[in-house]
Amino acid sequence: DTGVSQDPRHKITKRGQNVTFRCDPISEHNRLYWYRQTLGQGPEFLTYFQNEAQLEKSRLLSDRFSAERPKGSFSTLEIQRTEQGDSAMYLCASSSGGAGELFFGEGSRLTVL
Amino acid sequence: QKEVEQNSGPLSVPEGAIASLNCTYSDRGSQSFFWYRQYSGKSPELIMFIYSNGDKEDGRFTAQLNKASQYVSLLIRDSQPSDSATYLCAVMNAGKSTFGDGTTLTVKP
């Protein structure tokens, strides 16, 4: 069990560019979550999948954000036309269901210049 | 009003003391309740969860849940400097966990 892995760990981009993050969950976990965290705040829910189905997407999320989980394995989170306000740590977590405990990856830090 | 409220702290306790962390939530449909620890620059890691009213103990940690009062707490006994971190409370409903902004704990040697 290698845990949840995220790539890239750091991304610096210019405003207006598109970025994509990848998350590989713990292999036997069927649920995968994306959260965003800024300094001094708790993780903010973005979206989650059960297998390949996207079950919920935050209403706070603009149409510039899209996530996929093809074949119920890894997931990608794409941000189009990035803005400075998108600068944050993007956290991926997986869960086997159960009580709903989350296992987080190390995160992908995005800086938009 | 945020869905999950925590005192931001900082909370400072001496080594060996009991640290008490509190959390209130607004969604009465919440089913499971979690405490995560987050060291500076790291991602959150699960400490423990509780879903029934009462106390649940795991080593030096005790989680307490009162659904009628919509209140969750975490007690850390015999606090150690290595316990210094931000503690995040999370509540889950319909598969989605909502987090508070965390309480920063400092344990002084």
Side-chain angles (χ1 to χ4, degrees):
Chain A
D1 180 0
T2 58
V4 179
S5 62
Q6 294 188 242
D7 185 70
R9 295 287 309 278
H10 303 275
K11 178 71 175 180
I12 300 173
T13 191
K14 293 182 179 180
R15 184 165 51 97
Q17 298 296 303
N18 298 345
V19 297
T20 300
F21 300 113
R22 175 180 170 127
C23 173
D24 287 89
I26 293 171
S27 58
E28 62 267 27
H29 285 182
N30 60 353
R31 290 188 176 181
L32 186 148
Y33 297 78
W34 287 100
Y35 285 84
R36 175 173 63 189
Q37 187 176 28
T38 53
L39 193 63
Q41 306 293 311
E44 175 190 21
F45 172 80
L46 296 180
T47 188
Y48 90 98
F49 296 84
Q50 179 156 311
N51 299 313
E52 66 273 15
Q54 187 174 21
L55 296 189
E56 186 170 346
K57 182 177 176 179
S58 171
R59 285 169 290 182
L60 300 176
L61 221 55
S62 76
D63 290 342
R64 297 184 298 105
F65 288 72
S66 63
E68 294 182 341
R69 192 183 183 197
K71 302 179 183 179
S73 55
F74 70 93
S75 175
T76 57
L77 176 69
E78 181 183 19
I79 309 173
Q80 297 181 326
R81 304 181 302 282
T82 53
E83 302 172 355
Q84 287 185 326
D86 297 331
S87 295
M89 177 71 82
Y90 289 84
L91 294 167
C92 176
S94 68
S95 174
S96 61
E101 60 269 41
L102 301 178
F103 295 86
F104 284 88
E106 293 296 316
S108 293
R109 180 169 296 284
L110 174 65
T111 302
V112 181
L113 302 176
Chain B
Q1 182 186 4
K2 294 181 69 91
E3 292 183 51
V4 180
E5 298 268 9
Q6 297 182 252
N7 290 328
S8 61
L11 173 65
S12 180
V13 301
E15 184 175 357
I18 296 175
S20 177
L21 305 161
N22 304 314
C23 171
T24 58
Y25 62 94
S26 59
D27 184 358
R28 286 194 173 274
S30 299
Q31 299 152 332
S32 301
F33 307 85
F34 306 86
W35 285 100
Y36 292 84
R37 177 175 60 200
Q38 187 171 28
Y39 292 113
S40 180
K42 301 294 186 181
S43 57
E45 56 180 344
L46 179 71
I47 298 174
M48 62 190 304
F49 65 89
I50 186 169
Y51 50 80
S52 299
N53 277 328
D55 297 358
K56 180 181 178 182
E57 186 174 319
D58 184 0
R60 295 188 296 113
F61 299 94
T62 299
Q64 299 174 316
L65 173 62
N66 184 325
K67 290 186 178 179
S69 299
Q70 295 175 252
Y71 176 87
V72 193
S73 67
L74 179 71
L75 299 178
I76 306 175
R77 290 181 300 281
D78 189 24
S79 296
Q80 301 297 308
S82 58
D83 294 326
S84 298
T86 296
Y87 289 80
L88 298 164
C89 172
V91 301
M92 191 188 75
N93 188 0
K96 181 184 86 174
S97 282
T98 302
F99 287 79
D101 288 335
T103 298
T104 300
L105 171 67
T106 300
V107 181
K108 296 187 175 181

